[in-house]
Amino acid sequence: MKMVFRWFGVGNDSISLEHVKQIPGVEGIVWALHDIPAGEVWTIEKINEAKQQVESQGFHIDVVESVNIHEDIKLGLPSREKYIDNYIKTIENLATVGVKVICYNFMPVFDWVRTNLSKELEDGSTALFFENSKIADIDPKELVQTISLNSDFTMPGWEPERLVYLTKLFDQYKDVTEEDLWDHLQYFLERVVPVAEKNGIKMAIHPDDPPFSVFGLPRIITNEINIKRLLGLVESPSNGLTLCSGSLGVNPDNNISEIIRKFSDRIPFAHIRNVKRYENGDFIETSHRTTDGSVDIHGIMEALYNAQYTGYLRPDHGRHIWDEKCRPGYGLYDRALGIMYLWGIWDSLCRTKVKTENYAGAK
Ligand code: DNO
């Protein structure tokens, strides 16, 4: 496995690359051009700027996250042609600098959804929280305001500009069913996957977070059956999945280790984190440690190990600890602790299995 770390860019992140460098075993930075609106082409010039920043600290830029998809593509409007053409151009531009994986999502209107960005845990740290009853009553506009005002940084997927066209968007999605969304995803993949394949890039869709409909909007990348369907839309190694244990783990019916066993050859990228589920459907993000949440992180790492996983993997959201002022979920400290936990599991698996099964050795 290749350990990577998400970073939002100079001036857009509280963390410096020099500090990331001090976390053991991180080889690459998961990056994005956050100032380019969804639907516009990522120019070679801008891509090169990011590349230079990241490479100056000795990291690779193999994985890009949040090459966002214009809503017109998800809505299946005629104007999608222009935006798909732009997406293809972006894929080609990213290939020129050697990008290998593009993580994207196909969630209507919003990316991830939470109701509180700093809910206090028993140990005094804070973390992202989702409260079911609150979602039922809240106006999505209010949520955008709360989320964007509570952060010093632009939250990907929650840009304040969204307020302006939110009402129109909700109106446009009124009659879009899950089946429509599947059709629109297929249309998109049929156009972009061949280009990605030709350019040595793997598209890796991020599961919906949380993995169920929110505000009445359709959501489809939610469970094993739907992941299988997604992978079958275009049969190509370039049509893959970002395995996100935190998103899928919110639904207790999702057996993530089983998903890895079945689809590991189509998983080029993994986000590993834990969540604690409550009986009423609420959930909170916890430390990565298995015993701290409801997701068997050890079992997931073991499934990856047994699949001889050689893809990219990053710790995902962490708690906010030790008074760190950071992007919600994206501090340095708890993600660094998460990495060490993941390495601990991985190293001990390597050692035990090598002894017992004469395993050739994983990276
Ligand atoms: C949340 C992330 C997501 C992810 C996008 C990819 O923090 O895991 O925002 O980056 O869904 O498009």
Short mmCIF file of all heavy atoms in Angstrom, two decimals, residues 6 8 65-68 103-105 107 111-112 156 206-207 209 244 247 271 273 314 316-317 330, ligand 1:
data_model
loop_
_atom_site.label_atom_id
_atom_site.label_comp_id
_atom_site.label_asym_id
_atom_site.label_seq_id
_atom_site.Cartn_x
_atom_site.Cartn_y
_atom_site.Cartn_z
N ARG A 6 -4.07 13.98 2.55
CA ARG A 6 -4.77 15.05 1.84
C ARG A 6 -4.31 16.41 2.34
O ARG A 6 -4.25 16.66 3.55
CB ARG A 6 -6.27 14.92 2.02
CG ARG A 6 -7.02 15.88 1.13
CD ARG A 6 -8.50 15.65 1.13
NE ARG A 6 -9.12 16.38 0.03
CZ ARG A 6 -10.42 16.48 -0.17
NH1 ARG A 6 -11.25 15.87 0.64
NH2 ARG A 6 -10.90 17.16 -1.19
N PHE A 8 -4.68 20.78 1.28
CA PHE A 8 -5.53 21.68 0.49
C PHE A 8 -4.78 22.83 -0.18
O PHE A 8 -5.40 23.69 -0.78
CB PHE A 8 -6.67 22.21 1.37
CG PHE A 8 -7.65 21.13 1.74
CD1 PHE A 8 -7.44 20.31 2.84
CD2 PHE A 8 -8.79 20.90 0.97
CE1 PHE A 8 -8.34 19.30 3.18
CE2 PHE A 8 -9.69 19.89 1.29
CZ PHE A 8 -9.46 19.09 2.40
N GLU A 65 -7.96 14.55 -5.70
CA GLU A 65 -9.27 14.29 -5.10
C GLU A 65 -10.16 15.51 -5.28
O GLU A 65 -9.72 16.63 -5.05
CB GLU A 65 -9.08 13.98 -3.61
CG GLU A 65 -10.36 13.64 -2.91
CD GLU A 65 -10.13 12.91 -1.58
OE1 GLU A 65 -9.09 12.22 -1.46
OE2 GLU A 65 -10.95 13.04 -0.69
N SER A 66 -11.39 15.26 -5.63
CA SER A 66 -12.37 16.32 -5.85
C SER A 66 -12.16 17.05 -7.18
O SER A 66 -12.06 18.27 -7.22
CB SER A 66 -12.37 17.34 -4.71
OG SER A 66 -12.76 16.74 -3.51
N VAL A 67 -12.07 16.27 -8.25
CA VAL A 67 -12.24 16.89 -9.57
C VAL A 67 -13.76 16.85 -9.73
O VAL A 67 -14.33 15.84 -10.16
CB VAL A 67 -11.54 16.10 -10.70
CG1 VAL A 67 -11.66 16.86 -12.01
CG2 VAL A 67 -10.07 15.85 -10.36
N ASN A 68 -14.38 17.93 -9.27
CA ASN A 68 -15.83 17.88 -9.10
C ASN A 68 -16.61 17.90 -10.40
O ASN A 68 -16.17 18.48 -11.39
CB ASN A 68 -16.28 19.01 -8.17
CG ASN A 68 -15.88 18.72 -6.74
OD1 ASN A 68 -15.78 17.55 -6.34
ND2 ASN A 68 -15.61 19.76 -5.96
N CYS A 103 -10.10 10.86 -7.77
CA CYS A 103 -11.21 10.57 -6.87
C CYS A 103 -12.27 11.64 -7.10
O CYS A 103 -11.98 12.83 -7.07
CB CYS A 103 -10.68 10.60 -5.43
SG CYS A 103 -11.96 10.58 -4.16
N TYR A 104 -13.50 11.19 -7.35
CA TYR A 104 -14.60 12.13 -7.62
C TYR A 104 -15.85 11.58 -6.96
O TYR A 104 -15.85 10.46 -6.43
CB TYR A 104 -14.81 12.27 -9.15
CG TYR A 104 -15.39 11.02 -9.77
CD1 TYR A 104 -16.74 10.93 -10.11
CD2 TYR A 104 -14.60 9.88 -9.96
CE1 TYR A 104 -17.28 9.77 -10.65
CE2 TYR A 104 -15.13 8.71 -10.49
CZ TYR A 104 -16.46 8.66 -10.84
OH TYR A 104 -17.00 7.50 -11.34
N ASN A 105 -16.91 12.35 -6.96
CA ASN A 105 -18.16 11.80 -6.43
C ASN A 105 -19.32 12.19 -7.33
O ASN A 105 -19.19 13.08 -8.17
CB ASN A 105 -18.40 12.28 -4.99
CG ASN A 105 -18.79 13.74 -4.95
OD1 ASN A 105 -19.91 14.12 -5.28
ND2 ASN A 105 -17.86 14.60 -4.56
N MET A 107 -22.58 12.84 -6.03
CA MET A 107 -23.67 13.18 -5.11
C MET A 107 -24.34 14.48 -5.58
O MET A 107 -23.65 15.48 -5.78
CB MET A 107 -23.11 13.42 -3.71
CG MET A 107 -22.59 12.19 -3.04
SD MET A 107 -21.86 12.58 -1.42
CE MET A 107 -20.12 12.25 -1.73
N ASP A 111 -21.74 17.45 -1.26
CA ASP A 111 -20.77 16.38 -1.09
C ASP A 111 -21.15 15.74 0.26
O ASP A 111 -22.31 15.45 0.50
CB ASP A 111 -19.40 17.08 -1.07
CG ASP A 111 -18.22 16.16 -1.29
OD1 ASP A 111 -18.17 15.14 -0.61
OD2 ASP A 111 -17.35 16.48 -2.11
N TRP A 112 -20.27 15.61 1.18
CA TRP A 112 -20.56 15.04 2.49
C TRP A 112 -21.54 15.96 3.26
O TRP A 112 -21.53 17.18 3.06
CB TRP A 112 -19.26 14.87 3.28
CG TRP A 112 -18.47 16.13 3.31
CD1 TRP A 112 -17.59 16.56 2.35
CD2 TRP A 112 -18.52 17.14 4.32
NE1 TRP A 112 -17.09 17.78 2.70
CE2 TRP A 112 -17.64 18.16 3.91
CE3 TRP A 112 -19.19 17.27 5.52
CZ2 TRP A 112 -17.43 19.30 4.67
CZ3 TRP A 112 -18.99 18.42 6.27
CH2 TRP A 112 -18.12 19.41 5.83
N PRO A 156 -14.73 22.01 0.81
CA PRO A 156 -15.06 21.48 -0.50
C PRO A 156 -16.49 20.93 -0.50
O PRO A 156 -16.85 20.18 0.39
CB PRO A 156 -14.04 20.35 -0.72
CG PRO A 156 -13.37 20.13 0.57
CD PRO A 156 -13.64 21.29 1.48
N HIS A 206 -16.13 8.20 -5.17
CA HIS A 206 -16.23 8.20 -3.71
C HIS A 206 -17.67 7.85 -3.32
O HIS A 206 -18.61 8.38 -3.89
CB HIS A 206 -15.88 9.60 -3.18
CG HIS A 206 -15.73 9.67 -1.71
ND1 HIS A 206 -16.81 9.68 -0.86
CD2 HIS A 206 -14.63 9.70 -0.92
CE1 HIS A 206 -16.37 9.73 0.40
NE2 HIS A 206 -15.05 9.74 0.38
N PRO A 207 -17.85 6.95 -2.34
CA PRO A 207 -19.22 6.63 -1.92
C PRO A 207 -19.94 7.86 -1.37
O PRO A 207 -19.30 8.82 -0.93
CB PRO A 207 -19.03 5.59 -0.80
CG PRO A 207 -17.62 5.14 -0.89
CD PRO A 207 -16.83 6.23 -1.55
N ASP A 209 -21.83 10.16 1.16
CA ASP A 209 -21.52 10.33 2.58
C ASP A 209 -22.49 11.32 3.21
O ASP A 209 -22.40 12.51 2.92
CB ASP A 209 -20.07 10.83 2.69
CG ASP A 209 -19.64 11.01 4.14
OD1 ASP A 209 -20.39 10.61 5.04
OD2 ASP A 209 -18.55 11.58 4.35
N CYS A 244 -14.22 4.09 0.94
CA CYS A 244 -14.20 4.98 2.10
C CYS A 244 -14.89 4.28 3.28
O CYS A 244 -16.12 4.11 3.27
CB CYS A 244 -14.90 6.30 1.77
SG CYS A 244 -14.93 7.41 3.20
N SER A 247 -17.58 6.49 5.16
CA SER A 247 -18.87 6.71 4.49
C SER A 247 -19.68 5.43 4.49
O SER A 247 -20.83 5.40 4.94
CB SER A 247 -18.66 7.17 3.04
OG SER A 247 -17.83 8.29 3.00
N HIS A 271 -9.88 5.46 1.63
CA HIS A 271 -9.95 6.43 2.73
C HIS A 271 -10.29 5.62 3.97
O HIS A 271 -11.35 4.99 4.00
CB HIS A 271 -11.11 7.41 2.53
CG HIS A 271 -10.92 8.40 1.45
ND1 HIS A 271 -11.88 9.33 1.13
CD2 HIS A 271 -9.87 8.65 0.63
CE1 HIS A 271 -11.44 10.11 0.14
NE2 HIS A 271 -10.22 9.70 -0.18
N ARG A 273 -11.11 5.53 7.95
CA ARG A 273 -11.43 6.22 9.21
C ARG A 273 -12.55 5.47 9.90
O ARG A 273 -13.21 4.62 9.29
CB ARG A 273 -11.84 7.67 8.98
CG ARG A 273 -13.16 7.86 8.31
CD ARG A 273 -13.50 9.34 8.15
NE ARG A 273 -14.45 9.57 7.08
CZ ARG A 273 -15.77 9.59 7.24
NH1 ARG A 273 -16.30 9.36 8.42
NH2 ARG A 273 -16.57 9.82 6.22
N ARG A 314 -5.22 6.67 2.39
CA ARG A 314 -4.98 7.82 3.28
C ARG A 314 -5.85 7.71 4.52
O ARG A 314 -6.93 7.12 4.48
CB ARG A 314 -5.20 9.14 2.56
CG ARG A 314 -6.66 9.53 2.25
CD ARG A 314 -6.70 11.00 1.86
NE ARG A 314 -7.98 11.50 1.46
CZ ARG A 314 -8.94 11.91 2.27
NH1 ARG A 314 -8.80 11.80 3.58
NH2 ARG A 314 -10.06 12.43 1.79
N ASP A 316 -8.47 9.24 6.96
CA ASP A 316 -9.51 10.20 6.57
C ASP A 316 -9.73 11.14 7.73
O ASP A 316 -8.83 11.32 8.57
CB ASP A 316 -10.76 9.43 6.16
CG ASP A 316 -11.61 10.21 5.18
OD1 ASP A 316 -11.29 11.35 4.89
OD2 ASP A 316 -12.61 9.66 4.71
N HIS A 317 -10.89 11.73 7.79
CA HIS A 317 -11.16 12.74 8.83
C HIS A 317 -10.66 12.27 10.19
O HIS A 317 -10.81 11.12 10.54
CB HIS A 317 -12.66 12.98 8.99
CG HIS A 317 -13.34 13.26 7.71
ND1 HIS A 317 -14.69 13.31 7.58
CD2 HIS A 317 -12.85 13.52 6.49
CE1 HIS A 317 -15.02 13.58 6.35
NE2 HIS A 317 -13.92 13.71 5.66
N TYR A 330 -9.81 17.83 9.16
CA TYR A 330 -8.52 17.69 8.45
C TYR A 330 -7.35 18.31 9.20
O TYR A 330 -6.53 19.00 8.61
CB TYR A 330 -8.64 18.27 7.04
CG TYR A 330 -9.38 17.33 6.11
CD1 TYR A 330 -10.73 17.52 5.80
CD2 TYR A 330 -8.73 16.23 5.56
CE1 TYR A 330 -11.41 16.65 4.97
CE2 TYR A 330 -9.40 15.35 4.72
CZ TYR A 330 -10.73 15.57 4.42
OH TYR A 330 -11.40 14.70 3.60
C1 DNO B 1 -14.67 14.34 2.65
C2 DNO B 1 -14.10 13.71 1.46
C3 DNO B 1 -14.98 14.00 0.28
C4 DNO B 1 -14.30 13.56 -0.98
C5 DNO B 1 -15.12 13.84 -2.19
C6 DNO B 1 -14.45 13.33 -3.44
O1 DNO B 1 -13.97 14.85 3.43
O2 DNO B 1 -13.85 12.39 1.65
O3 DNO B 1 -15.21 15.36 0.25
O4 DNO B 1 -13.11 14.26 -1.13
O5 DNO B 1 -16.37 13.27 -2.08
O6 DNO B 1 -15.05 13.92 -4.52
#
